[in-house]
Amino acid sequence: MNFRLMFRSSIGLYQLSLAHFVSRRFPRSLNRSKSSGTMAMSGVNSGSEDLSSSFLTLEKIDVNIYRASAKCLWRPVGSRFVFGGQVVGQALTAAFNTVQDPLLLHSLHCYFLRGGNNEKPILYHVDRTRDGKTYTSRNIKATQEGLPIFTMQASFKIDETDPLEHQFTMPVVPSPEELISSREYIKTKLETEEMSDAERIRISEYLTQSIHIESRPVDPQLYHGEKQGEPRRFVWVRTLENIGDNMQLQQCVASFISDLALLGAAKQPAPVGHQLGFITSLDHSMWFHNPFRIDEWMLCEIESPQCGNGKALALGRMWRRDGVLAISVAQEGVLRSKI
């Protein structure tokens, strides 16, 4: 497969444009605004960006109602809608603002009902379903122009220990130091592959950005659609910036990143050169098992057990480098071939 075909596919542009977006919007710290009660994500460089333009910052407009400004919303290149991971992260930010600080997320379950319009603000309505001694539940609904576009159920709990425990064993794969980053891989292909001037300019625009999320796939050719293979992929990910010790922020950023590479695994068994006409998330679930730092290397293990009838299922695990299972993920999405 000529590498330039990858950039024509929605998945290729989706992965590249996320890196471009994060380089401009990635947060460093999490603060609660005393005046408004909203969570605010500050810019990577102190004073480099107004809080109102940060991609997870929400304005409190009423009790349990928060608003994301349209100027903060991001629509990936090749997509019709706002990036789903951003909506998940914003909904979680709204929910965190209604629970006590010691509580951390242990699971979330989402449905994407309509595509979000990046030219309209999004309202997040939080229903304080239950406040218990150990577990606390929240329902979050996102709306645009009075219509629901997304729903989430999120459950939080206090920290506790129990002698009964087990987990699967982390896959044995090359370490991130042995692998090349997706950015460097793409850069090398740009320098060696023949492509049109328009394609070269478009790809070069992404590569000139400062990318604050680094990914290192174990098999770059399979990951980038240059060869056919099983619907299973492994990729190391981390943020390049230290984002601090706030675990709530770590969970918000991990939720944002979790929507990046799941459905791509479902396309890997397709013949080389197979083109997708439409790809979008339908539902998304996450389970948080153990503490982690998303600004340290984590291994994403992703597989797609089923694909057909215009949709695909993807399952994922995010492992800490020391072998501890931190997060489990499941997603179903629309995957339609270009006809």
Side-chain angles (χ1 to χ4, degrees):
M1 177 184 181
N2 190 305
F3 190 75
R4 64 177 178 270
L5 290 177
M6 190 274 288
F7 294 97
R8 292 174 180 168
S9 72
S10 59
I11 289 180
L13 289 173
Y14 181 70
Q15 292 168 339
L16 278 177
S17 53
L18 174 63
H20 167 68
F21 173 76
V22 172
S23 72
R24 297 186 296 113
R25 304 288 191 190
F26 193 75
R28 186 178 182 86
S29 63
L30 177 61
N31 301 302
R32 287 185 184 272
S33 170
K34 295 181 179 179
S35 60
S36 65
T38 61
M39 280 185 172
M41 303 290 186
S42 64
V44 173
N45 299 313
S46 179
S48 65
E49 186 176 64
D50 186 357
L51 290 177
S52 64
S53 64
S54 185
F55 78 96
L56 292 183
T57 296
L58 302 177
E59 175 192 2
K60 183 176 181 180
I61 62 173
D62 205 340
V63 177
N64 300 331
I65 302 178
Y66 304 87
R67 177 169 55 201
S69 170
K71 67 180 180 180
C72 300
L73 301 178
W74 171 60
R75 177 175 59 84
V77 174
S79 173
R80 307 178 198 174
F81 311 124
V82 171
F83 175 53
Q86 183 181 19
V87 180
V88 175
Q90 289 180 341
L92 182 55
T93 299
F96 264 132
N97 195 55
T98 69
V99 302
Q100 297 299 315
D101 285 337
L103 291 171
L104 290 175
L105 183 71
H106 79 86
S107 70
L108 61 81
H109 305 277
C110 315
Y111 278 95
F112 296 90
L113 307 177
R114 293 180 176 84
N117 185 342
N118 66 304
E119 297 181 351
K120 303 288 184 180
I122 299 178
L123 293 183
Y124 292 91
H125 310 254
V126 181
D127 181 4
R128 304 191 186 211
T129 314
R130 179 178 183 270
D131 290 287
K133 293 182 179 180
T134 303
Y135 289 89
T136 292
S137 300
R138 296 290 184 263
N139 285 344
I140 307 96
K141 180 172 68 174
T143 64
Q144 278 189 321
E145 299 186 302
L147 296 176
I149 65 170
F150 170 90
T151 61
M152 172 193 285
Q153 289 183 310
S155 183
F156 308 82
K157 73 180 296 289
I158 62 172
D159 187 31
E160 61 179 306
T161 60
D162 193 275
L164 178 63
E165 60 179 33
H166 74 271
Q167 68 164 52
F168 283 2
T169 302
M170 180 178 177
V172 178
V173 300
S175 69
E177 289 79 13
E178 301 175 67
L179 303 170
I180 187 173
S181 71
S182 287
R183 184 175 186 273
E184 290 301 317
Y185 186 81
I186 293 168
K187 182 179 179 181
T188 300
K189 290 294 183 177
L190 177 66
E191 295 170 349
T192 59
E193 290 280 355
E194 292 184 3
M195 59 187 69
S196 69
D197 290 341
E199 289 170 326
R200 186 173 297 277
I201 292 173
R202 194 175 191 184
I203 297 169
S204 297
E205 181 181 351
Y206 291 111
L207 294 177
T208 56
Q209 303 300 316
S210 175
I211 299 175
H212 290 268
I213 289 180
E214 184 175 8
S215 62
R216 296 190 180 186
V218 171
D219 189 338
Q221 286 186 311
L222 184 62
Y223 187 80
H224 290 293
E226 293 183 282
K227 71 178 185 181
Q228 188 177 17
E230 293 185 355
R232 182 175 287 106
R233 54 172 47 176
F234 301 93
V235 55
W236 291 96
V237 297
R238 68 172 178 180
T239 67
L240 293 180
E241 298 290 335
N242 183 320
I243 61 174
D245 298 327
N246 189 306
M247 195 57 206
Q248 292 182 345
L249 173 59
Q250 297 281 345
Q251 291 186 329
C252 286
V253 176
S255 299
F256 181 94
I257 294 175
S258 69
D259 193 31
L260 171 60
L262 286 167
L263 292 179
K267 186 178 181 293
Q268 291 176 180
V272 173
H274 182 86
Q275 296 293 299
L276 293 177
F278 186 65
I279 178 172
T280 191
S281 303
L282 288 172
D283 54 41
H284 189 87
S285 295
M286 300 181 71
W287 296 266
F288 294 80
H289 311 302
N290 291 291
F292 61 92
R293 290 191 67 104
I294 199 64
D295 49 12
E296 297 178 356
W297 285 117
M298 296 186 69
L299 177 66
C300 294
E301 174 191 6
I302 302 170
E303 61 184 1
S304 175
Q306 197 277 337
C307 178
N309 303 313
K311 58 185 178 63
L313 176 66
L315 306 176
R317 300 185 183 99
M318 296 182 70
W319 300 87
R320 289 186 346 205
R321 193 165 184 174
D322 61 2
V324 173
L325 181 60
I327 304 170
S328 296
V329 188
Q331 184 181 92
E332 189 174 43
V334 176
L335 208 68
R336 294 188 182 129
S337 300
K338 188 175 182 180
I339 300 176

